[in-house]
């Protein structure tokens, strides 16, 4: 139903867009991009679900989809469930899109009112091509001059009504949903029967192997020395603790560390302090949290102690170790997402789970 705007690209132009990437797309990325390109050439609004494991390259497909839509003069909204993930998409994709001549912006609830108004006006007047954002994208005051495509990452975190509210910002909008949560084919047909399903079943080349270990006894005792070796080699470490802090004595008795206490503990050790230790959690002011994450991305900090706020949206190829305390308190999908923060570069990586 509906009549979406069709975008038809000559093969040579499509190949030129693919050639803009600083790396070679995998066969799976090319196959899925061809499916999306075919969808965008039709007037039936695209409804496609893209499944791909953590690190399989979904964001590259989102970038190429955005380029194709903007070739036809349309705008794209890229929505993510958290400010960390929305900011990572903007941080990671803006240089590529802007080198292609596209104008990008980030819209989240944390933006100061003046900046927020400026982004809203730019979107309404068509002075921005790709807008990255959180739930703030479907708020009342956000309008687009010509929204032709909505890309929704970690789509299972949004309700159908929320996804529809974003799509309603345009006419018959193409919609690409992305998820790293594996969905069995039979369930996909039942729950997402109205969607075409694509899968990225191939990891980009040059990724290091990830060793996952439940660290107990001697393994756990040997871990600090191993971590220091990784830091001395110039690599970086995530140290995840589910709880922010201990607010009551009863919580302390319940056992388990907190992110604040682990941060203080590592800072008290001169060798770790010399490498730089930073703390990130959901109660920090968004601009302060973004500033600390940026320092980690730039390699100015060796160890990032965090809650599960880094579960999605942080992409640092030089980070090779993930330590997860109280791993038994987390679900399998969370552990899978956390482990996916490492192994994003060519170096071997490790994920240590502590009970």
């Amino acid at each position: 139903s509906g009549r979406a705007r069709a975008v038809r690209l000559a093969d040579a132009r499509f190949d030129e867009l693919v050639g803009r990437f600083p790396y070679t797309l995998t066969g799976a990325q090319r196959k899925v991009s061809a499916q999306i390109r075919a969808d965008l050439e039709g007037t039936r609004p695209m409804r496609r679900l893209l499944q791909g494991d953590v690190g399989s390259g979904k964001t590259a497909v989102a970038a190429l989809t955005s380029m194709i839509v903007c070739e036809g003069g349309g705008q794209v909204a890229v929505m993510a469930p958290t400010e960390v993930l929305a900011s990572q998409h903007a941080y990671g994709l803006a240089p590529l899109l802007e080198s292609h001549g596209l104008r990008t912006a980030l819209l989240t609830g944390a933006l100061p009112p003046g900046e927020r108004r400026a982004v809203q006006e730019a979107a309404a007047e068509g002075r921005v091509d790709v807008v990255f954002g959180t739930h703030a994208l479907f708020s009342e005051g956000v309008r687009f001059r010509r929204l032709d495509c909505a890309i929704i990452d970690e789509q299972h975190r949004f309700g159908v009504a929320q996804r529809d509210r974003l799509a309603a910002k345009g006419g018959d909008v193409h919609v690409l949903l992305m998820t790293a949560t594996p969905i069995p084919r039979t369930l996909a047909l039942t729950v997402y029967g109205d969607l075409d399903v694509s899968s990225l079943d191939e990891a980009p080349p040059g990724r290091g192997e990830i060793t996952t270990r439940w660290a107990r006894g001697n393994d756990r005792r040997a871990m600090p020395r191993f971590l220091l070796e990784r830091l001395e080699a110039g690599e970086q470490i995530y140290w995840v603790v589910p709880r922010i802090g201990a607010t009551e004595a009863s919580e302390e008795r319940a056992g388990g560390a907190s992110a604040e206490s682990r941060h203080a503990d590592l800072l008290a050790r001169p060798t770790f302090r010399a490498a730089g230790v930073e703390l990130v959690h959901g109660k920090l002011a968004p601009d302060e949290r973004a500033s600390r994450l940026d320092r980690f991305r730039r390699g100015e900090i060796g160890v990032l102690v965090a809650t599960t706020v880094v579960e999605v949206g942080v992409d640092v190829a030089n980070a090779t170790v993930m330590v997860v305390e109280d791993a038994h308190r987390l679900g399998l999908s969370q552990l899978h997402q956390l482990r996916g923060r490492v192994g994003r570069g060519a170096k071997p990586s490790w994920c240590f789970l502590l009970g």
Side-chain angles (χ1 to χ4, degrees), residues 269-343:
R269 306 186 198 189
T271 44
F272 280 96
R273 188 170 65 244
V277 184
E278 198 58 272
L279 174 66
V280 167
H281 54 70
K283 289 188 178 176
L284 281 176
D287 54 347
E288 177 61 24
R289 187 171 64 221
S291 167
R292 294 182 186 185
L293 284 170
D294 279 346
R295 288 182 61 208
F296 187 68
R297 285 189 187 103
R298 291 196 298 266
E300 296 169 14
I301 297 163
V303 184
L304 186 70
V305 180
T307 58
T308 54
V309 72
V310 296
E311 177 187 339
V312 292
V314 187
D315 188 353
V316 180
N318 192 48
T320 59
V321 182
M322 165 66 69
V323 179
V324 185
E325 289 201 61
D326 289 340
H328 60 286
R329 294 173 184 253
L330 302 176
L332 272 180
S333 74
Q334 273 187 307
L335 291 172
H336 184 66
Q337 288 275 20
L338 287 167
R339 192 182 79 132
R341 296 306 101 211
V342 295

Side-chain angles (χ1 to χ4, degrees), residues 5 51 62 79 87 100 123 128 150 179-180 240 244 250 255 263 273 276 300 320-321 325-326:
R5 291 186 186 90
Q51 295 184 163
M79 186 167 74
S87 300
H100 180 60
V128 62
T179 184
V240 171
I244 295 175
S250 59
H263 177 243
R273 188 170 65 244
E300 296 169 14
T320 59
V321 182
E325 289 201 61
D326 289 340

Side-chain angles (χ1 to χ4, degrees), residues 97-120:
L97 296 173
E98 287 167 6
S99 71
H100 180 60
L102 301 180
R103 299 157 297 181
T104 69
L106 175 64
L107 183 67
T108 68
L111 276 186
E115 288 180 39
R116 185 170 175 150
R117 269 195 306 276
V119 173
Q120 288 178 347

Side-chain angles (χ1 to χ4, degrees), residues 153-330:
D153 198 10
E154 292 295 311
Q155 63 85 30
H156 59 282
R157 304 256 194 117
F158 297 98
V160 173
Q162 290 179 314
R163 301 196 298 254
D164 289 348
R165 275 172 66 190
L166 178 59
K169 297 282 182 183
D172 291 304
V173 173
H174 295 293
V175 178
L176 176 64
L177 305 173
M178 304 197 299
T179 184
T181 303
I183 303 168
R185 179 166 171 73
T186 47
L187 181 62
L189 288 171
T190 306
V191 180
Y192 303 112
D194 57 334
L195 300 177
D196 296 308
V197 180
S198 295
S199 296
L200 287 176
D201 49 10
E202 179 184 356
R207 293 288 173 96
E209 286 289 311
I210 305 176
T211 301
T212 305
R213 186 167 294 166
W214 190 268
R216 289 175 168 159
N218 289 336
D219 273 351
R220 183 156 186 171
R221 284 189 285 276
M223 201 178 70
R225 180 184 292 276
F226 177 77
L227 297 183
L228 288 173
E229 287 171 2
R230 304 286 25 102
L231 291 171
E232 285 165 8
E235 297 166 23
Q236 291 167 277
I237 296 166
Y238 295 100
W239 195 306
V240 171
V241 192
R243 289 194 304 140
I244 295 175
T247 53
E248 296 176 10
S250 59
E251 287 187 28
E252 285 287 15
R253 284 199 300 274
S258 70
E260 289 175 344
S261 64
R262 179 58 63 205
H263 177 243
D265 169 58
L266 292 175
L267 275 180
R269 306 186 198 189
T271 44
F272 280 96
R273 188 170 65 244
V277 184
E278 198 58 272
L279 174 66
V280 167
H281 54 70
K283 289 188 178 176
L284 281 176
D287 54 347
E288 177 61 24
R289 187 171 64 221
S291 167
R292 294 182 186 185
L293 284 170
D294 279 346
R295 288 182 61 208
F296 187 68
R297 285 189 187 103
R298 291 196 298 266
E300 296 169 14
I301 297 163
V303 184
L304 186 70
V305 180
T307 58
T308 54
V309 72
V310 296
E311 177 187 339
V312 292
V314 187
D315 188 353
V316 180
N318 192 48
T320 59
V321 182
M322 165 66 69
V323 179
V324 185
E325 289 201 61
D326 289 340
H328 60 286
R329 294 173 184 253
L330 302 176

Side-chain angles (χ1 to χ4, degrees), residues 18-164:
V18 172
R20 295 277 175 93
F21 285 80
Y23 43 82
T24 303
L25 298 187
T26 64
Q29 285 172 318
R30 285 175 173 272
K31 180 187 74 179
V32 169
S33 296
Q35 292 168 344
I36 291 170
R37 180 187 174 195
D39 289 344
L40 296 175
E41 286 181 343
T43 56
R44 185 173 73 92
M46 171 173 71
R47 292 292 182 270
R48 187 168 290 278
L49 173 68
L50 174 57
Q51 295 184 163
D53 204 350
V54 177
S56 62
K58 294 184 296 297
T59 50
V61 173
L64 184 54
T65 301
S66 300
M67 289 178 181
I68 295 170
V69 171
C70 294
E71 283 282 309
Q75 290 170 294
V76 179
V78 181
M79 186 167 74
T82 67
E83 289 182 2
V84 170
L85 184 51
S87 300
Q88 172 62 40
H89 283 331
Y91 183 94
L93 294 181
L96 173 65
L97 296 173
E98 287 167 6
S99 71
H100 180 60
L102 301 180
R103 299 157 297 181
T104 69
L106 175 64
L107 183 67
T108 68
L111 276 186
E115 288 180 39
R116 185 170 175 150
R117 269 195 306 276
V119 173
Q120 288 178 347
E121 286 168 10
E125 295 169 13
R127 290 184 284 107
V128 62
D129 303 296
V130 182
V131 184
F132 299 94
T134 55
H135 300 71
L137 281 173
F138 55 69
S139 61
E140 195 63 39
V142 178
R143 291 179 177 78
F144 292 86
R145 188 180 68 81
R146 185 178 143 183
L147 181 65
D148 279 358
C149 183
I151 299 174
I152 301 175
D153 198 10
E154 292 295 311
Q155 63 85 30
H156 59 282
R157 304 256 194 117
F158 297 98
V160 173
Q162 290 179 314
R163 301 196 298 254
D164 289 348

